[in-house]
Amino acid sequence: MTATEPAELASRRAFRAPLLHFLSDPGPSLSPAAAEYFEDGLLLVENGHVERVGPAAELLGQLGEDWLLTEHPGKLIVPGFIDSHIHYPQTDMIASYGEQLLEWLNQYTFPTEGRFADPAHAADVANFFLEELLRNGTTTALVLGSVHPQSIDAFFAAASARNLRMLAGKVLMDRHAPDSLLDTPELAYHDSKALIERWHGQGRQLYAITPRFAPTSTEAQLEAAGRLAREYPDTYVHTHVAENQSEVAWVAELFPWSRSYLDVYDRHGLLRERAVYAHCLHLNERDRQRMAESGAVMAFCPTSNLFLGSGLFDLEAADEAGVRVGLATDVGAGTSFSLLQTLNEAYKVLQLNGQKLSPYRAFYLATLGSARALYLDHLLGNFEPGKEADFVVLDPAATPLMARRLAKVENLLERLFVLMTLGDDRAVAATYIMGREAHRRCAPSAVALSGRSADPA
Ligand SMILES: [Zn+2]
């Protein structure tokens, strides 16, 4: 349930709570040096942007009467979560049983995406999807639409209405899918170009050139995608690579000249800064080097990789190669919109690989790390002055079990680990966009009694 604030609120707002954000990548370290934490903190927001952050005791006395103070005692304010790879048309097919990637696409995905030819359906799903992101504390996402340009018009219209910073693009697909879902190299080029002209840089919206994956694009279409990527260098490129072994073998058959799966994209000019590749499970050293030197990005999708039985992401190898890594749900193959639950599974994937994910690194990846992966860290991802004030109020005692476990917790590191292991949408007390409340969780029992929130978050 979402409760929003009245429109006539002050332009200068102060938020008091325990407060955590990151200034750099903590790596595997258990030291909080890369983070800034205020046990009793104050976040000052002016006209939707961060003015300052610091200890409440120091800052409260400096505020004039025109500042509106909101207190969230016992909660934890962090920057808004960032999802670096997700499919909005797949909202209605999350939790579809029994298949691995290629069969799952044919059996569930293509029929579901076919419905997005209808703009009313696209708008309905886009609105639900964005509310679900906000309920989970996700304030920015890199999103795939369907092949239909109207799916992206509907999505950006819904995102603009909420003033959200979103990145999205129409899927390019001209073979190996049902006829009703195919475009052509020419249509892919012209439809994407029109969407870029209409939406890229419009308000907070940013465009991503989005070939689904190499097997569903001819070389002529990949060529067209590369041309767009050159003509619009500040747009994004967004696709999948090396998710599943059968997929990798299929790409080798379809592109017999290629050195590797990644090489297919490289030869078409699709490796560059702001090019985001989901999964990156079955890569070699040369591939990782190419990603690092080109500025391309890996999106780590742990729940999806487990759900489709695809494989285990190697974070250490990505770090060693110096590749930017973002965290991602990959709904609908991912099984949760919650980036807290995604961190829970990321921790386990890395355990199976003999690697560790410290709670500091985890919360960095969900915030500043993914902002950096999306080349947005100059705009958001932490509370440096001037940044866009998208943030989340977390409730570390959101459930009876969390409250009980929290009572035994002795430090911030343990508190973060409980949040990422046991937390989900219930732990998101409120979500703010540009300093304005966009979601507030209502206690279910209070709703039943009074019909409105009795929980001041
Ligand atoms: Zn995906």
Side-chain angles (χ1 to χ4, degrees):
M1 179 171 181
T2 291
T4 49
E5 296 172 318
E8 66 281 2
L9 280 175
S11 62
R12 305 178 111 188
R13 300 194 62 179
F15 300 90
R16 182 179 189 177
L19 228 146
L20 173 74
H21 71 144
F22 290 86
L23 303 174
S24 62
D25 185 349
S29 164
L30 291 180
S31 144
E36 200 168 42
Y37 176 67
F38 304 102
E39 183 68 43
D40 180 11
L42 201 66
L43 170 64
L44 303 182
V45 176
E46 192 164 11
N47 296 319
H49 293 81
V50 176
E51 202 263 340
R52 227 177 331 163
V53 67
E58 196 178 294
L59 296 181
L60 272 174
Q62 302 174 21
L63 299 184
E65 281 184 1
D66 56 338
W67 284 85
L68 177 68
L69 177 66
T70 306
E71 299 192 320
H72 292 287
K75 304 294 194 290
L76 177 69
I77 290 183
V78 298
F81 295 140
I82 298 171
D83 191 336
S84 54
H85 174 77
I86 184 167
H87 302 247
Y88 101 83
Q90 295 177 13
T91 302
D92 290 346
M93 54 166 283
I94 191 170
S96 290
Y97 173 75
E99 302 295 351
Q100 293 212 347
L101 175 66
L102 300 177
E103 298 74 23
W104 176 86
L105 283 171
N106 285 318
Q107 191 168 333
Y108 300 114
T109 310
F110 293 151
T112 303
E113 292 191 3
R115 297 192 61 199
F116 285 74
D118 172 9
H121 178 72
D124 175 55
V125 177
N127 282 311
F128 179 88
F129 172 88
L130 291 173
E131 290 301 315
E132 192 64 15
L133 291 188
L134 292 172
R135 279 186 356 90
N136 282 281
T138 300
T139 52
T140 286
L142 174 56
V143 180
L144 289 94
S146 68
V147 74
H148 316 94
Q150 55 270 40
S151 73
I152 290 304
D153 284 324
F155 179 79
F156 278 141
S160 296
R162 292 168 176 79
N163 197 26
L164 301 174
R165 184 163 290 285
M166 288 287 154
L167 306 80
K170 158 205 141 54
V171 158
L172 315 182
M173 186 155 63
D174 67 346
R175 63 170 167 172
H176 299 138
D179 286 349
S180 62
L181 282 177
L182 297 182
D183 56 9
T184 65
E186 296 72 29
L187 264 179
Y189 177 85
H190 289 293
D191 285 347
S192 299
K193 192 179 172 76
L195 287 166
I196 291 169
E197 299 286 346
R198 191 145 65 242
W199 289 110
H200 186 61
Q202 185 65 35
R204 301 184 81 196
Q205 313 310 316
L206 295 167
Y207 196 81
I209 300 154
T210 311
R212 166 167 236 115
F213 67 151
T216 48
S217 286
T218 59
E219 293 198 32
Q221 184 168 72
L222 292 172
E223 199 64 48
R227 193 156 82 242
L228 282 167
R230 279 192 303 280
E231 288 172 5
Y232 296 96
D234 65 340
T235 58
Y236 289 76
V237 172
H238 186 197
T239 187
H240 302 86
V241 73
E243 175 175 4
N244 167 292
Q245 296 284 16
S246 308
E247 172 209 19
V248 173
W250 193 21
V251 169
E253 273 172 39
L254 292 171
F255 304 90
W257 48 262
S258 62
R259 179 188 60 75
S260 69
Y261 188 164
L262 187 79
D263 187 45
V264 174
Y265 298 121
D266 201 1
R267 297 271 197 106
H268 290 95
L270 294 168
L271 281 194
R272 64 155 168 69
E273 293 186 355
R274 285 176 298 283
V276 181
Y277 287 82
H279 308 304
C280 301
L281 302 182
H282 312 289
L283 298 181
N284 57 42
E285 265 327 293
R286 178 85 193 98
D287 290 334
R288 290 192 186 88
Q289 279 168 19
R290 274 299 297 142
M291 293 193 77
E293 68 200 21
S294 64
V297 177
M298 297 179 179
F300 174 19
C301 312
T303 71
S304 166
N305 296 157
L306 294 171
F307 182 73
L308 292 181
S310 302
L312 303 175
F313 184 74
D314 191 339
L315 182 60
E316 232 166 63
D319 284 345
E320 275 164 24
V323 186
R324 294 177 189 232
V325 176
L327 183 70
T329 63
D330 192 28
V331 164
T335 51
S336 174
F337 277 80
S338 168
L339 281 172
L340 293 172
Q341 273 310 294
T342 304
L343 288 174
N344 177 22
E345 300 304 313
Y347 178 84
K348 296 172 195 169
V349 162
L350 295 175
Q351 280 278 48
L352 285 167
N353 250 346
Q355 300 174 17
K356 283 201 174 19
L357 180 62
S358 89
Y360 290 127
R361 186 88 194 282
F363 275 79
Y364 165 80
L365 279 176
T367 57
L368 183 64
S370 286
R372 194 171 165 268
L374 297 183
Y375 289 81
L376 290 174
D377 48 316
H378 59 299
L379 294 176
L380 40 78
N382 65 12
F383 297 134
E384 283 172 344
K387 294 223 175 149
E388 297 170 351
D390 295 346
F391 59 92
V392 188
V393 182
L394 294 175
D395 181 359
T399 68
L401 179 63
M402 289 174 78
R404 190 176 174 92
R405 180 67 183 84
L406 189 69
K408 306 281 189 299
V409 155
E410 290 179 356
N411 55 39
L412 175 64
L413 185 117
E414 290 179 5
R415 188 147 55 124
L416 294 176
F417 195 57
V418 169
L419 262 169
M420 67 184 254
T421 306
L422 301 179
D424 52 28
D425 56 316
R426 293 169 296 179
V428 176
T431 304
Y432 287 83
I433 298 298
M434 300 290 282
R436 303 182 60 86
E437 185 185 281
H439 161 74
R440 185 194 296 192
R441 182 175 157 75
C442 301
S445 57
V447 173
L449 287 175
S450 68
R452 54 179 299 232
S453 170
D455 177 6

